[in-house]
Amino acid sequence: MPDAASAPSPSHIQSHWRQWVWILAGVATVALLSALAIPLFVSTGGRLLANRALDAGQPAHAEPWLRFALRLHPRSADLHDSLGTLLFAEEHTAEALVHFAQAVDLDGSLATAQNNLGAALLNLRQPAAAIPYLQAAVTLNPGGATAFANLGQAYYRVGQLDAALTAYQRAYELDPTQLDARAQWAAILFEWGDLAQAAATWQAILAQDAQHLAARRGLGAVAALQGRSSEAVQLLTRVTGDTPADPVAAFYLGLAYRSLGRTDEAATAFERAAANSDNAQLTRLARAQLLALYEQSETDQHASGGQSNESQQP
């Protein structure tokens, strides 16, 4: 039996108990931090792997990593925005819209999510609904050229041409590679009847990118309206060769053909414009041109028939 001197004193017992409490608390803290760090590490790694797959042009490989990371952090606005961006690139616009909306709900200060939600709504042909999100995007990030370009497109589609022009110009000021935005502001000048300034703007775009589709189409339309029909045909047949379903190019090509007396080709061009256009005004104009060609053909046939009968009279 041990003597009293070998037995720990009550004070020693208290001291040892406190040491064990601190040790256990430390272990618990490490475990808790590890439990919190592992999902964060995995989600960050998942996002990096997803970005690497996207950079390699392998979106199918990126999607599982993002979905896995999102399961670990379902309230991450960044992850919802990233997955939405991937889905949008894969043309799964409806599902992308859901993730962009969740990102905005979780963090309304995330400018990229505001822009992306607006872009998805534009893609779904809801420009009026897109405008508030795109306005928020440019307010949160005044230096975002893409958001200004998207806002210009939304304004243009709802007929607010002054606001669209301002947005397009701002996009190009911020980023001189935004040639599509510059081409669209030239299209607004064209609609306002300023053909000379519109043509000059499209020419300037072609100096930067000789194959820019909208600029070539615009110059072809100007040539058709100014009576330079052969030049218009040359320009617009190249455009329709690159994009056969382009209704605007087809319509102005029809005008050029009609001016040259090539009525069959004009009719084919107007038919293509009417069939492919989602713009009611352009569709009406194309059909009106077709009707005019039909009536002209009927008149010519009657005149030809009358002359034939007259020549057969004794």
Side-chain angles (χ1 to χ4, degrees), residues 278-300:
D278 58 3
N279 181 290
Q281 183 179 4
L282 181 60
T283 301
R284 284 195 298 270
L285 289 171
R287 288 174 177 168
Q289 289 292 329
L290 280 170
L291 179 60
L293 284 174
Y294 174 76
E295 291 174 346
Q296 178 184 337
S297 176
E298 288 289 306
T299 301
D300 291 344

mmCIF file of all heavy atoms in Angstrom, residues 278-300:
data_model
loop_
_atom_site.group_PDB
_atom_site.id
_atom_site.type_symbol
_atom_site.label_atom_id
_atom_site.label_comp_id
_atom_site.label_asym_id
_atom_site.label_seq_id
_atom_site.Cartn_x
_atom_site.Cartn_y
_atom_site.Cartn_z
ATOM 1 N N ASP A 278 -37.401 37.048 -86.632
ATOM 2 C CA ASP A 278 -38.259 37.079 -85.448
ATOM 3 C C ASP A 278 -38.668 38.515 -85.119
ATOM 4 O O ASP A 278 -39.190 38.802 -84.050
ATOM 5 C CB ASP A 278 -37.564 36.440 -84.245
ATOM 6 C CG ASP A 278 -36.247 37.117 -83.904
ATOM 7 O OD1 ASP A 278 -35.893 38.114 -84.563
ATOM 8 O OD2 ASP A 278 -35.569 36.669 -82.953
ATOM 9 N N ASN A 279 -38.412 39.413 -86.081
ATOM 10 C CA ASN A 279 -38.799 40.815 -85.947
ATOM 11 C C ASN A 279 -40.037 41.056 -86.796
ATOM 12 O O ASN A 279 -40.010 40.894 -88.020
ATOM 13 C CB ASN A 279 -37.641 41.719 -86.392
ATOM 14 C CG ASN A 279 -37.960 43.189 -86.260
ATOM 15 O OD1 ASN A 279 -38.777 43.734 -87.003
ATOM 16 N ND2 ASN A 279 -37.318 43.837 -85.314
ATOM 17 N N ALA A 280 -41.133 41.437 -86.153
ATOM 18 C CA ALA A 280 -42.410 41.560 -86.858
ATOM 19 C C ALA A 280 -42.344 42.595 -87.972
ATOM 20 O O ALA A 280 -42.910 42.388 -89.057
ATOM 21 C CB ALA A 280 -43.518 41.923 -85.868
ATOM 22 N N GLN A 281 -41.641 43.692 -87.722
ATOM 23 C CA GLN A 281 -41.565 44.740 -88.740
ATOM 24 C C GLN A 281 -40.806 44.263 -89.971
ATOM 25 O O GLN A 281 -41.245 44.493 -91.111
ATOM 26 C CB GLN A 281 -40.889 45.983 -88.157
ATOM 27 C CG GLN A 281 -40.828 47.160 -89.143
ATOM 28 C CD GLN A 281 -40.184 48.388 -88.536
ATOM 29 O OE1 GLN A 281 -39.705 48.363 -87.405
ATOM 30 N NE2 GLN A 281 -40.168 49.476 -89.286
ATOM 31 N N LEU A 282 -39.681 43.602 -89.756
ATOM 32 C CA LEU A 282 -38.911 43.092 -90.892
ATOM 33 C C LEU A 282 -39.711 42.042 -91.655
ATOM 34 O O LEU A 282 -39.680 42.006 -92.903
ATOM 35 C CB LEU A 282 -37.588 42.501 -90.409
ATOM 36 C CG LEU A 282 -36.663 41.943 -91.503
ATOM 37 C CD1 LEU A 282 -36.273 43.023 -92.498
ATOM 38 C CD2 LEU A 282 -35.415 41.313 -90.867
ATOM 39 N N THR A 283 -40.430 41.204 -90.948
ATOM 40 C CA THR A 283 -41.255 40.183 -91.606
ATOM 41 C C THR A 283 -42.314 40.837 -92.489
ATOM 42 O O THR A 283 -42.538 40.410 -93.631
ATOM 43 C CB THR A 283 -41.927 39.280 -90.557
ATOM 44 O OG1 THR A 283 -40.908 38.658 -89.756
ATOM 45 C CG2 THR A 283 -42.766 38.202 -91.219
ATOM 46 N N ARG A 284 -42.963 41.879 -91.965
ATOM 47 C CA ARG A 284 -43.981 42.588 -92.763
ATOM 48 C C ARG A 284 -43.362 43.220 -94.000
ATOM 49 O O ARG A 284 -43.947 43.163 -95.097
ATOM 50 C CB ARG A 284 -44.658 43.661 -91.909
ATOM 51 C CG ARG A 284 -45.671 43.125 -90.896
ATOM 52 C CD ARG A 284 -46.548 44.238 -90.360
ATOM 53 N NE ARG A 284 -45.767 45.251 -89.660
ATOM 54 C CZ ARG A 284 -45.488 45.218 -88.358
ATOM 55 N NH1 ARG A 284 -45.923 44.201 -87.626
ATOM 56 N NH2 ARG A 284 -44.793 46.180 -87.796
ATOM 57 N N LEU A 285 -42.197 43.832 -93.854
ATOM 58 C CA LEU A 285 -41.542 44.462 -94.997
ATOM 59 C C LEU A 285 -41.169 43.442 -96.059
ATOM 60 O O LEU A 285 -41.347 43.685 -97.264
ATOM 61 C CB LEU A 285 -40.292 45.212 -94.527
ATOM 62 C CG LEU A 285 -40.524 46.488 -93.718
ATOM 63 C CD1 LEU A 285 -39.211 46.999 -93.148
ATOM 64 C CD2 LEU A 285 -41.184 47.559 -94.590
ATOM 65 N N ALA A 286 -40.655 42.297 -95.632
ATOM 66 C CA ALA A 286 -40.275 41.254 -96.586
ATOM 67 C C ALA A 286 -41.497 40.734 -97.332
ATOM 68 O O ALA A 286 -41.462 40.533 -98.562
ATOM 69 C CB ALA A 286 -39.553 40.119 -95.861
ATOM 70 N N ARG A 287 -42.587 40.535 -96.611
ATOM 71 C CA ARG A 287 -43.812 40.057 -97.261
ATOM 72 C C ARG A 287 -44.395 41.101 -98.193
ATOM 73 O O ARG A 287 -44.951 40.755 -99.242
ATOM 74 C CB ARG A 287 -44.822 39.645 -96.190
ATOM 75 C CG ARG A 287 -44.442 38.355 -95.472
ATOM 76 C CD ARG A 287 -45.374 38.040 -94.332
ATOM 77 N NE ARG A 287 -45.024 36.764 -93.702
ATOM 78 C CZ ARG A 287 -45.511 36.335 -92.551
ATOM 79 N NH1 ARG A 287 -46.395 37.091 -91.884
ATOM 80 N NH2 ARG A 287 -45.147 35.167 -92.043
ATOM 81 N N ALA A 288 -44.278 42.355 -97.832
ATOM 82 C CA ALA A 288 -44.759 43.425 -98.712
ATOM 83 C C ALA A 288 -43.952 43.454 -100.011
ATOM 84 O O ALA A 288 -44.515 43.663 -101.098
ATOM 85 C CB ALA A 288 -44.655 44.770 -98.000
ATOM 86 N N GLN A 289 -42.655 43.224 -99.903
ATOM 87 C CA GLN A 289 -41.825 43.173 -101.104
ATOM 88 C C GLN A 289 -42.194 41.975 -101.982
ATOM 89 O O GLN A 289 -42.238 42.081 -103.216
ATOM 90 C CB GLN A 289 -40.345 43.111 -100.713
ATOM 91 C CG GLN A 289 -39.792 44.394 -100.132
ATOM 92 C CD GLN A 289 -39.719 45.512 -101.150
ATOM 93 O OE1 GLN A 289 -39.522 45.287 -102.347
ATOM 94 N NE2 GLN A 289 -39.881 46.742 -100.687
ATOM 95 N N LEU A 290 -42.476 40.858 -101.342
ATOM 96 C CA LEU A 290 -42.908 39.681 -102.103
ATOM 97 C C LEU A 290 -44.220 39.950 -102.829
ATOM 98 O O LEU A 290 -44.394 39.570 -103.994
ATOM 99 C CB LEU A 290 -43.064 38.485 -101.156
ATOM 100 C CG LEU A 290 -41.784 37.760 -100.758
ATOM 101 C CD1 LEU A 290 -42.069 36.772 -99.635
ATOM 102 C CD2 LEU A 290 -41.192 37.029 -101.970
ATOM 103 N N LEU A 291 -45.160 40.604 -102.142
ATOM 104 C CA LEU A 291 -46.438 40.936 -102.771
ATOM 105 C C LEU A 291 -46.239 41.871 -103.947
ATOM 106 O O LEU A 291 -46.861 41.700 -105.014
ATOM 107 C CB LEU A 291 -47.377 41.568 -101.735
ATOM 108 C CG LEU A 291 -48.759 41.991 -102.244
ATOM 109 C CD1 LEU A 291 -49.522 40.783 -102.792
ATOM 110 C CD2 LEU A 291 -49.558 42.671 -101.134
ATOM 111 N N ALA A 292 -45.359 42.857 -103.782
ATOM 112 C CA ALA A 292 -45.082 43.791 -104.866
ATOM 113 C C ALA A 292 -44.466 43.066 -106.069
ATOM 114 O O ALA A 292 -44.818 43.352 -107.226
ATOM 115 C CB ALA A 292 -44.154 44.893 -104.377
ATOM 116 N N LEU A 293 -43.585 42.123 -105.810
ATOM 117 C CA LEU A 293 -42.991 41.347 -106.905
ATOM 118 C C LEU A 293 -44.041 40.506 -107.616
ATOM 119 O O LEU A 293 -44.047 40.409 -108.857
ATOM 120 C CB LEU A 293 -41.882 40.434 -106.361
ATOM 121 C CG LEU A 293 -40.546 41.087 -106.008
ATOM 122 C CD1 LEU A 293 -39.630 40.063 -105.363
ATOM 123 C CD2 LEU A 293 -39.878 41.677 -107.255
ATOM 124 N N TYR A 294 -44.955 39.926 -106.841
ATOM 125 C CA TYR A 294 -46.022 39.112 -107.427
ATOM 126 C C TYR A 294 -46.930 39.977 -108.304
ATOM 127 O O TYR A 294 -47.278 39.591 -109.435
ATOM 128 C CB TYR A 294 -46.829 38.439 -106.318
ATOM 129 C CG TYR A 294 -48.038 37.683 -106.812
ATOM 130 C CD1 TYR A 294 -47.906 36.437 -107.423
ATOM 131 C CD2 TYR A 294 -49.314 38.233 -106.688
ATOM 132 C CE1 TYR A 294 -49.012 35.755 -107.889
ATOM 133 C CE2 TYR A 294 -50.434 37.551 -107.155
ATOM 134 C CZ TYR A 294 -50.281 36.309 -107.750
ATOM 135 O OH TYR A 294 -51.389 35.648 -108.219
ATOM 136 N N GLU A 295 -47.305 41.127 -107.788
ATOM 137 C CA GLU A 295 -48.177 42.020 -108.559
ATOM 138 C C GLU A 295 -47.480 42.518 -109.817
ATOM 139 O O GLU A 295 -48.102 42.629 -110.882
ATOM 140 C CB GLU A 295 -48.618 43.193 -107.687
ATOM 141 C CG GLU A 295 -49.564 42.784 -106.564
ATOM 142 C CD GLU A 295 -49.866 43.936 -105.612
ATOM 143 O OE1 GLU A 295 -49.137 44.959 -105.680
ATOM 144 O OE2 GLU A 295 -50.821 43.811 -104.825
ATOM 145 N N GLN A 296 -46.191 42.798 -109.695
ATOM 146 C CA GLN A 296 -45.435 43.230 -110.866
ATOM 147 C C GLN A 296 -45.376 42.120 -111.908
ATOM 148 O O GLN A 296 -45.523 42.370 -113.122
ATOM 149 C CB GLN A 296 -44.020 43.634 -110.453
ATOM 150 C CG GLN A 296 -43.127 44.066 -111.623
ATOM 151 C CD GLN A 296 -41.710 44.357 -111.177
ATOM 152 O OE1 GLN A 296 -41.463 44.646 -110.010
ATOM 153 N NE2 GLN A 296 -40.767 44.266 -112.103
ATOM 154 N N SER A 297 -45.192 40.883 -111.429
ATOM 155 C CA SER A 297 -45.145 39.749 -112.348
ATOM 156 C C SER A 297 -46.483 39.573 -113.065
ATOM 157 O O SER A 297 -46.517 39.310 -114.280
ATOM 158 C CB SER A 297 -44.786 38.485 -111.568
ATOM 159 O OG SER A 297 -44.826 37.355 -112.413
ATOM 160 N N GLU A 298 -47.600 39.720 -112.312
ATOM 161 C CA GLU A 298 -48.927 39.611 -112.916
ATOM 162 C C GLU A 298 -49.139 40.689 -113.972
ATOM 163 O O GLU A 298 -49.663 40.425 -115.067
ATOM 164 C CB GLU A 298 -49.997 39.727 -111.832
ATOM 165 C CG GLU A 298 -50.104 38.519 -110.907
ATOM 166 C CD GLU A 298 -50.687 37.323 -111.628
ATOM 167 O OE1 GLU A 298 -51.775 37.443 -112.212
ATOM 168 O OE2 GLU A 298 -50.035 36.256 -111.631
ATOM 169 N N THR A 299 -48.726 41.909 -113.649
ATOM 170 C CA THR A 299 -48.868 43.019 -114.600
ATOM 171 C C THR A 299 -48.053 42.764 -115.851
ATOM 172 O O THR A 299 -48.526 42.974 -116.984
ATOM 173 C CB THR A 299 -48.424 44.333 -113.946
ATOM 174 O OG1 THR A 299 -49.221 44.576 -112.788
ATOM 175 C CG2 THR A 299 -48.563 45.496 -114.907
ATOM 176 N N ASP A 300 -46.840 42.292 -115.684
ATOM 177 C CA ASP A 300 -45.975 42.020 -116.833
ATOM 178 C C ASP A 300 -46.553 40.913 -117.713
ATOM 179 O O ASP A 300 -46.501 40.984 -118.952
ATOM 180 C CB ASP A 300 -44.577 41.621 -116.364
ATOM 181 C CG ASP A 300 -43.827 42.777 -115.721
ATOM 182 O OD1 ASP A 300 -44.258 43.931 -115.906
ATOM 183 O OD2 ASP A 300 -42.820 42.514 -115.031
#
